[in-house]
């Protein structure tokens, strides 16, 4: 039997409702955790990735001895506890060893449990400070660009694409104006080996060795819009940083049953949830200002039976009074 938590007051009730499953998800909060051994390069990489993720980022200053890929380790239990406590569903764990130097592990949670993990190794890094110019506003949603067919065909790169999109995900919006697009995160691959270019779909489903996979290039650019003489501006991209070259290492695919539950959508329509209506209610809508408005339908009214203020001038036969030449009017004034 599942344990149900009942709120004791209105504050705890609002907190439980905020953490409840939603049709339209809130921005994912990411926790940045350092391992027992991290070098200067790895610390700077995590610092600048956190700058891109803010304000939905939590940093742990202390070092933690966790090993996510160890089967007989209590590290995953610690990760799940931190995620539940901080209401976070993403983790970025940095750890450097002699066998796997400058390693970054992306961990994704679902319902307080670890869904999948991807480990990459940082091979090259260029800081934001090396690029002069303006930087993006914290909390601004980036435009993601994946420039390779392997992100739609190879299972390892499909998992990496899904992980990066979930990591940099922000508030769900219906539309955006052009000045609202400030920066672009471009993800491309090094020259793909011929074995992957000519591979069939069956061979791609098999797990490839990390040495055979191409290097992943992550680049961040600022969007600069210039006048073009038309309604569509001329767009230029200027390097903003950071620039990362990473290689795929270990990974843990999601459990099929848990993934099925994570991808399940309720019968509730998405547009109803975005309007804040919950279940569809008849003749109720939300206007552009966010105000809830209702429409009431009434039957045909008989205005002859409408109760009005009683006045002598509105009595029947009052029209005949004014026919005499001011005779009755003078008598009324005297009376």
């Amino acid at each position: 039997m599942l344990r149900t938590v009942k709120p004791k007051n209105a504050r705890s009730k609002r907190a439980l409702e905020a953490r409840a499953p939603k049709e339209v998800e809130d921005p994912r909060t990411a926790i940045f955790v350092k391992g027992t051994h991290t070098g200067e390069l790895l610390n700077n990489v995590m610092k600048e990735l956190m700058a891109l993720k803010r304000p939905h980022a939590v940093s742990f200053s202390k070092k933690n001895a966790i090993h996510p890929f160890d089967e007989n380790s209590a590290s995953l239990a610690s990760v799940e506890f931190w995620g539940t406590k901080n209401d976070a569903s993403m983790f970025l764990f940095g750890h450097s060893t002699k066998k796997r130097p400058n390693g970054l592990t992306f961990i994704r949670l679902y319902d307080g449990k670890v869904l999948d993990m991807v480990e990459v190794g940082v091979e090259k890094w260029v800081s934001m400070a090396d690029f002069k110019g303006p930087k993006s506003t914290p909390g601004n949603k980036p435009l993601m660009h994946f420039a390779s067919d392997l992100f739609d065909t190879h299972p390892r790169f499909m998992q990496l694409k899904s992980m990066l999109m979930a990591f940099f995900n922000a508030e769900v919006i219906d539309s955006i104006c052009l000045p609202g697009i400030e920066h672009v995160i471009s993800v491309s691959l090094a020259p793909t080996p011929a074995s992957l270019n000519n591979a069939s779909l069956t061979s791609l489903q098999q797990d490839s060795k990390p040495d055979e996979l191409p290097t992943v290039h992550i680049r961040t650019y600022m969007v600069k819009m210039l006048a073009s003489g038309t309604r569509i501006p001329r767009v230029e991209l200027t390097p903003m940083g950071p620039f990362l070259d990473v290689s795929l290492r270990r990974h843990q695919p999601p459990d099929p049953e848990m993934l099925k539950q994570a991808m399940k959508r309720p019968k509730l329509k998405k547009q109803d949830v975005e309007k804040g209506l919950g279940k569809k209610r008849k003749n109720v809508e939300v206007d552009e200002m966010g105000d809830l408005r209702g429409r009431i339908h009434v039957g045909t009214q008989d205005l002859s039976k409408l109760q009005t203020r009683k006045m002598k001038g509105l009595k029947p036969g009052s029209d005949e009074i004014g026919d005499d030449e001011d005779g009755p009017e003078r008598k009324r004034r005297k009376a």
Side-chain angles (χ1 to χ4, degrees), residues 236-293:
E236 291 185 358
L237 299 180
T238 58
M240 183 188 75
F243 282 10
L244 285 173
D245 290 347
V246 299
S247 59
L248 294 181
R249 292 179 181 173
R250 296 177 292 180
H251 79 292
Q252 176 182 322
D255 181 68
E257 293 296 329
M258 186 180 295
L259 181 62
K260 184 179 180 181
Q261 292 293 329
M263 300 297 292
K264 187 177 180 180
R265 299 175 67 91
K267 296 181 180 179
L268 193 62
K269 293 183 180 179
K270 181 180 178 181
Q271 57 183 2
D272 297 338
V273 180
E274 292 175 351
K275 290 181 178 180
L277 298 179
K279 294 183 179 180
K280 183 65 177 177
R281 288 182 288 178
K282 191 176 181 181
N283 300 327
V284 179
E285 60 182 5
V286 178
D287 59 6
E288 296 179 355
M289 300 301 294
D291 298 330
L292 186 65
R293 295 184 177 275

Side-chain angles (χ1 to χ4, degrees), residues 52-89:
L52 293 178
K53 183 61 179 174
R54 283 174 180 167
H56 307 291
V58 179
S59 176
F60 285 3
S61 58
K62 295 183 179 180
K63 296 183 178 181
N64 299 271
I66 63 174
H67 305 280
F69 289 95
D70 290 353
E71 296 180 359
N72 299 326
S73 175
S75 302
L76 295 182
S78 301
V79 169
E80 294 171 355
F81 171 74
W82 293 334
T84 305
K85 185 177 180 180
N86 295 275
D87 193 18
S89 59

Side-chain angles (χ1 to χ4, degrees), residues 144-211:
M144 302 290 295
H145 174 247
F146 295 88
S148 179
D149 294 336
L150 292 181
F151 288 113
D152 298 325
T153 57
H154 199 281
R156 291 295 307 275
F157 293 103
M158 290 173 62
Q159 184 185 15
L160 178 64
K161 176 183 177 181
S162 176
M163 188 71 71
L164 291 177
M165 292 185 66
F167 183 81
F168 291 106
N169 184 28
E171 184 180 357
V172 179
I173 54 178
D174 296 331
S175 59
I176 187 172
C177 59
L178 290 180
I181 303 176
E182 292 187 358
H183 63 294
V184 177
I185 299 177
S186 176
V187 185
S188 59
L189 299 181
T192 309
S195 59
L196 292 180
N197 286 330
N198 301 327
S200 61
L201 183 60
T202 305
S203 60
L204 286 176
Q205 296 298 330
Q206 301 176 357
D207 192 8
S208 304
K209 296 181 180 179
D211 298 338

